[in-house]
Amino acid sequence: MTPWWKHAVIYQIYPRSFADASGDGVGDLPGILAHVDYIERLGVDAVWLNPIYPSPMRDMGYDVADFTGVDPRFGTLEDLDALVDALHRRHIRLILDFVPNHSSDRHPWFEASRRESGGPMGRHYIWRGSRAHAPSGDLTSIFGGSAWSLDPERGQYYLHSFLAEQPDLNWEEPEVVRAMQEAMATWFRRGVDGFRVDAVTALAKDTYLLDDGTRPEAADLREFLHTAPRSPLMHRVLRSLRAVADTFGDRVLVGETWVNRIADLAAFYGDGDELQLPMNFALMEAEPTAAAWRTVVDETESALGEGRWPCYFLENHDIPRLPARVPDPELLRVVAVLLLTLRGTPIVYYGQELGLWSPPVPPEAQQDPVGRDGTRFGRDGARMPMPWTDAPGGGFSGAAPWLEIPPGYLRHAVSVQERRDDSLLALYRALIALRRSRPSLTEGAYREVAAGGALAYERLAPRERTWVMVNPEARPMRIPGPGGEILLATRPGVLARDGEIWRLEGRSAAIVDVR
Ligand code: NOJ
């Protein structure tokens, strides 16, 4: 039996911004529950929620103060149970975020660790040096500035890959491994179907890297993404998490595996005992050209081979939304076809199906933290409230939303797009439905078909062949290939048969059932 997550389309929801039921301007779990019909109509198989845990929200929930609770801003454990239930009744799975690399500095573990170096939590975090001696080999944090902060209470420095309020956990300490495994198991027992594991490459802090300040590659934690695939510690962590998932059966671990070389992705699968779906950032990073996409897909296919399942996405909560890279609305339709027809599990970010963009957010309204060196990450624009209707406020909340909805969003609201057969939302729904109905698209092999300025590929199942042709160029392309029935096109009439050749209009894409 093919595992469910290979067939799945995953829908990423930023809980703060999906829908607010409590009326405080911040999205919450009951808000998501109120929109499960929308999620079902979209046709997705799983929902991934960004962190919902109790948190001081210095990094919007990625600073976790309790790994097994729900922040009151988002609701209660009962709300989470109700959401799991409602989704499961619709055969939709729930994936939570899991943040193994760090906790909040308000986590009771850290508070105990800073108080008593010799106490039971003394080694839960990565402590070095003393008041008089900073740790050797200063490391730069991923969020800028030094990754070491002096804790006045303990009189030692602690490591933080991100903000100073996000101390890194010490995975060399067996009690940390056990406690984090138990946190994960708690959610599995509640019916959660998987996790998206945060900041996987940051886990690669093997002692030798930390303590040998002379290693040039260890000078900047951002560089750990080069060394992570070779880190024995990181692999141990992933294996320990996967072991928990496997005891529950049928659960999935997706991972935030941001690496510079596609070839490095293979390492995160371990020997089939680490992540099932390490995220491939390369498609998101690629220019919208056939040549760039071809390179990404070719490299991915050859790095992973048939045994490892790819995981693609184009947007998430950390990067400007697609229109920043793909400014043409027709191209947004083309990339939707690409994402949903490649071999692998695609992730769609809430609002991507509406064509939302990342508007500039004035500095005084920004909620995203500022790095120690003054760096503004500017991620608020990718985290705007979802426009459900075109009424003022967009139907997101009865109160002023935590970020003001740009007026232009209302024209892209769900209610507006649902009235139109030619909307981007309608295209996403049609694509996801088509994908579901065709084994070649969900689990078939991938074979590239030479097509010059366009990208054409075939997906092959034992009794089914599907051709996909995507043309990001402004000019039409001629693609030689077998005839068949056109199943979907980004616009009616963009694909036509001319003898033995397909003619595909510029900035368009189509899917054909080839006999
Ligand atoms: C990656 C998350 O996606 C990002 O939002 C967060 O700031 C960092 N990890 C730190 O947890």
Side-chain angles (χ1 to χ4, degrees):
M1 258 272 284
T2 317
W4 65 268
W5 45 266
K6 280 196 172 178
H7 289 180
V9 175
I10 300 175
Y11 188 56
Q12 178 191 352
I13 291 181
Y14 200 67
R16 269 187 109 70
S17 298
F18 199 59
D20 168 26
S22 69
D24 63 354
V26 172
D28 46 37
L29 294 171
I32 300 171
L33 183 66
H35 289 286
V36 281
D37 288 344
Y38 174 80
I39 298 167
E40 185 180 27
R41 278 217 59 202
L42 194 54
V44 298
D45 309 86
V47 166
W48 149 34
L49 301 183
N50 287 98
I52 44 130
Y53 311 113
S55 164
M57 301 286 168
R58 291 306 312 267
D59 186 17
M60 289 299 163
Y62 282 99
D63 46 331
V64 180
D66 172 3
F67 289 104
T68 55
V70 170
D71 192 282
R73 295 178 196 86
F74 295 131
T76 61
L77 277 169
E78 289 67 40
D79 292 330
L80 198 271
D81 292 342
L83 182 61
V84 170
D85 237 45
L87 290 172
H88 282 179
R89 265 185 275 119
R90 290 164 172 80
H91 308 287
I92 301 169
R93 322 261 173 159
L94 183 68
I95 296 173
L96 295 183
D97 225 295
F98 192 74
V99 189
N101 182 68
H102 45 271
S103 74
S104 158
D105 62 345
R106 305 286 173 80
H107 195 292
W109 296 345
F110 188 70
E111 287 177 347
S113 200
R114 65 174 9 155
R115 267 196 315 272
E116 290 173 55
S117 55
M121 313 273 168
R123 282 177 38 86
H124 268 48
Y125 296 84
I126 301 171
W127 296 98
R128 294 285 188 280
S130 65
R131 246 180 265 278
H133 294 286
S136 62
D138 200 16
L139 284 170
T140 304
S141 102
I142 294 166
F143 279 175
S146 174
W148 294 108
S149 282
L150 178 67
D151 178 62
E153 205 169 333
R154 174 152 160 165
Q156 274 198 298
Y157 287 78
Y158 63 92
L159 184 79
H160 49 89
S161 296
F162 297 91
L163 298 175
E165 292 88 348
Q166 292 168 297
D168 281 26
L169 285 159
N170 175 16
W171 279 85
E172 314 244 26
E173 165 60 41
E175 193 43 39
V176 168
V177 181
R178 199 203 55 76
M180 292 300 276
Q181 284 183 311
E182 182 47 32
M184 189 174 258
T186 305
W187 293 109
F188 283 141
R189 283 194 285 270
R190 277 205 115 86
V192 166
D193 301 285
F195 289 92
R196 171 268 193 188
V197 182
D198 180 64
V200 170
T201 53
L203 292 164
K205 290 172 300 267
D206 303 71
T207 314
Y208 71 92
L209 283 176
L210 285 183
D211 293 344
D212 183 354
T214 60
R215 284 179 74 96
E217 59 186 0
D220 187 328
L221 279 167
R222 279 167 283 215
E223 298 301 309
F224 274 40
L225 49 93
H226 302 298
T227 56
R230 302 190 301 278
S231 155
L233 175 63
M234 186 208 66
H235 289 293
R236 275 206 312 278
V237 177
L238 294 181
R239 280 197 300 273
S240 69
L241 298 179
R242 177 62 181 276
V244 180
D246 282 352
T247 54
F248 288 86
D250 218 19
R251 312 293 161 114
V252 72
L253 296 183
V254 185
E256 189 200 13
T257 46
W258 203 336
V259 288
N260 283 352
R261 298 183 326 136
I262 292 175
D264 282 342
L265 273 179
F268 299 97
Y269 296 77
D271 291 322
D273 56 356
E274 298 186 24
L275 301 173
Q276 287 111 321
L277 295 176
M279 290 179 187
N280 185 345
F281 279 67
L283 192 68
M284 175 275 282
E285 286 169 334
E287 291 285 312
T289 66
W293 292 336
R294 186 174 296 120
T295 306
V296 168
V297 179
D298 286 355
E299 282 184 23
T300 304
E301 287 291 316
S302 65
L304 303 190
E306 277 180 21
R308 304 183 189 93
W309 197 248
C311 177
Y312 292 106
F313 67 95
L314 295 166
E315 288 193 347
N316 70 27
H317 59 291
D318 289 329
I319 45 176
R321 284 187 180 271
L322 265 174
R325 285 158 279 140
V326 177
D328 179 308
E330 292 307 312
L331 262 184
L332 284 184
R333 302 173 76 84
V334 174
V335 294
V337 172
L338 177 72
L339 176 69
L340 289 156
T341 57
L342 288 174
R343 188 181 79 99
T345 298
I347 305 177
V348 175
Y349 185 48
Y350 85 99
Q352 178 180 331
E353 74 278 20
L354 304 179
L356 301 184
W357 58 96
S358 296
V361 178
E364 64 283 2
Q366 286 179 22
Q367 311 258 339
D368 204 18
V370 179
R372 188 170 254 188
D373 58 357
T375 311
R376 282 194 179 273
F377 310 123
R379 296 175 295 182
D380 300 271
R383 302 169 177 181
M384 286 281 153
M386 178 90 161
W388 292 98
T389 71
D390 53 357
F396 166 75
S397 167
W402 73 282
L403 282 174
E404 198 183 330
I405 303 187
Y409 265 31
L410 302 184
R411 273 183 282 120
H412 290 253
V414 172
S415 65
V416 174
Q417 300 208 29
E418 280 187 330
R419 290 197 291 268
R420 300 187 59 124
D421 291 344
D422 61 351
S423 66
L424 187 63
L425 174 60
L427 178 71
Y428 268 88
R429 285 179 175 168
L431 268 167
I432 295 172
L434 180 66
R435 198 189 138 87
R436 270 188 169 219
S437 71
R438 293 185 71 79
S440 56
L441 287 179
T442 43
E443 55 187 287
Y446 171 92
R447 192 174 69 85
E448 190 185 311
V449 179
L455 177 65
Y457 45 93
E458 191 173 31
R459 300 291 313 280
L460 287 158
R463 274 179 294 282
E464 193 182 84
R465 281 170 80 192
T466 307
W467 268 51
V468 182
M469 291 169 265
V470 292
N471 178 13
E473 301 284 320
R475 65 203 153 93
M477 292 290 165
R478 290 169 66 79
I479 304 164
E485 183 199 345
I486 301 174
L487 299 171
L488 182 145
T490 47
R491 297 276 179 206
V494 292
L495 185 70
R497 196 79 180 143
D498 178 5
E500 293 299 293
I501 290 181
W502 289 108
R503 184 181 186 279
L504 180 60
E505 290 299 328
R507 305 249 155 100
S508 62
I511 303 175
V512 176
D513 177 32
V514 171
R515 309 215 167 256

